Amino acid sequence: MTNSNEAPPSSPAGLLPATVGVLGGGRMGAGIAHAFLLSGSKVIVVERDDDSARGAQERVAASVAASFDRGALSGDRGEILQRFATSVDYVDFALCDLVVEAVPEDEELKTAALNAVAAYLSPHAYLATNTSSLSVSRLAESLPRPESFLGLHFFNPVPASTLIEVVVGKTSSEETVAAARRWVSGLGKTAVVVQDAPGFASSRLGVAIALEAMRMVEEGVAAPEDIDNAMVLGYKHPMGPLRTTDVVGLDVRLGIAEYLYSVLGDRFAPPQILLDMVAAGELGRKTGRGFYDWS
């Protein structure tokens, strides 16, 4: 456990927290755990129940195995997994120097989760949210140490992504932002630092392009494959906006669009095709069908 009378230890490289907690072991949480684990930190994922914790354990173990299979990682697989654990008890966050919240994109849920985590953190620990669009400043309002809180917006899939958006809230201290820059560097990724604003930079731009692409499908301008190819081949995007939407999840895109619509106006109004597809359960890769067939 971190000694409350001294600054928390860092990784051997001097950039990463020695022990990182992740709240939520779904696709994003498992990816965040994987990133810190492979970079040298001890990692603990806390889930809501035993079944969810077992699922998180399996996802992270499979992700580590895939890194070895791709040749992206060498060394002792057992040693890496020995630094990973799952739990259903928030008290285990007392061991952590940084905790990243990765629960679903719902403001009430995130607020409650962050406050529950904060109750167990040591005085020197940092807390971050992986929100892709919600106000970091608003999430910080009820926290006991808002100066030690900011946004760390990881991108899906986390292992392959080279970007992390560092979102600075109104109360985030310069020390916390500097620490976040070090963590991102320690993960071998690039930090984009943005001030807290609706959708930040990445979600605001990404959703705007994706919604217009959906309207083009809806209006019969072009097929999803052709729209995506236009952005991949013409603008050098690694993946088109509609395929990206399928990977992220149409329900996730809809939630972000609805939030941005509520604060930024009509240009983020969800198109009917998105509403209809989500209502039909066509959520993208995770359900086998979205703008593409993933079955």
Side-chain angles (χ1 to χ4, degrees):
M1 184 178 298
T2 300
N3 187 332
S4 62
N5 295 318
E6 60 186 28
S10 60
S11 69
L15 296 174
L16 293 174
T19 305
V20 175
V22 180
L23 179 61
R27 180 184 296 274
M28 288 303 299
I32 294 167
H34 172 276
F36 279 104
L37 188 62
L38 267 58
S39 296
S41 297
K42 294 180 181 179
V43 180
I44 183 164
V45 171
V46 174
E47 264 289 3
R48 62 184 181 275
D49 54 44
D50 289 335
D51 286 344
S52 299
R54 279 192 293 272
Q57 180 82 38
E58 292 169 0
R59 277 186 286 276
V60 173
S63 184
V64 170
S67 292
F68 275 96
D69 292 343
R70 291 193 306 268
L73 192 63
S74 61
D76 188 339
R77 188 181 311 194
E79 184 277 329
I80 291 172
L81 291 176
Q82 282 179 356
R83 290 189 276 106
F84 175 66
T86 59
S87 172
V88 295
D89 196 339
Y90 279 41
V91 72
D92 289 318
F93 285 137
L95 301 168
C96 299
D97 309 305
L98 165 67
V99 175
V100 181
E101 165 272 309
V103 304
E105 196 78 348
D106 176 274
E107 185 173 344
E108 289 187 10
L109 176 62
K110 283 186 180 291
T111 298
L114 288 164
N115 278 276
V117 172
Y120 293 96
L121 294 183
S122 81
H124 298 293
Y126 296 98
L127 180 59
T129 175
N130 183 50
T131 183
S132 57
S133 64
L134 299 176
S135 170
V136 170
S137 299
R138 191 156 60 243
L139 291 173
E141 287 176 354
S142 60
L143 294 177
R145 291 189 298 114
E147 70 279 2
S148 298
F149 174 72
L150 47 56
L152 284 180
H153 178 203
F154 289 78
F155 289 77
N156 186 26
V158 177
S161 173
T162 58
L163 173 67
I164 298 176
E165 200 169 30
V166 176
V167 185
V168 183
K170 291 179 180 178
T171 55
S172 304
S173 70
E174 291 183 5
E175 177 189 353
T176 301
V177 176
R181 285 180 176 273
R182 291 195 300 272
W183 305 331
V184 175
S185 179
L187 292 172
K189 300 182 186 293
T190 298
V192 172
V193 179
V194 300
Q195 298 301 310
D196 186 26
F200 317 137
S202 59
S203 291
R204 190 160 167 177
L205 289 169
V207 169
I209 293 171
L211 294 180
E212 190 59 31
M214 293 175 203
R215 294 186 188 102
M216 291 169 68
V217 174
E218 191 173 57
E219 295 165 8
V221 173
E225 296 89 341
D226 292 322
I227 293 169
D228 280 348
N229 282 336
M231 299 307 295
V232 171
L233 301 176
Y235 289 86
K236 305 304 181 184
H237 287 203
M239 191 185 302
L242 298 170
R243 186 174 291 274
T244 300
T245 294
D246 273 9
V247 171
V248 170
L250 275 73
D251 54 335
V252 175
R253 283 289 207 213
L254 176 58
I256 297 172
E258 289 177 331
Y259 169 70
L260 294 176
Y261 175 45
S262 71
V263 294
L264 294 176
D266 288 347
R267 66 188 186 276
F268 287 99
Q272 192 62 44
I273 188 173
L274 177 59
L275 296 169
D276 291 345
M277 291 176 73
V278 171
E282 297 176 356
L283 307 183
R285 184 169 66 178
K286 60 188 171 186
T287 60
R289 185 164 187 82
F291 288 98
Y292 292 85
D293 185 350
W294 297 87
S295 59

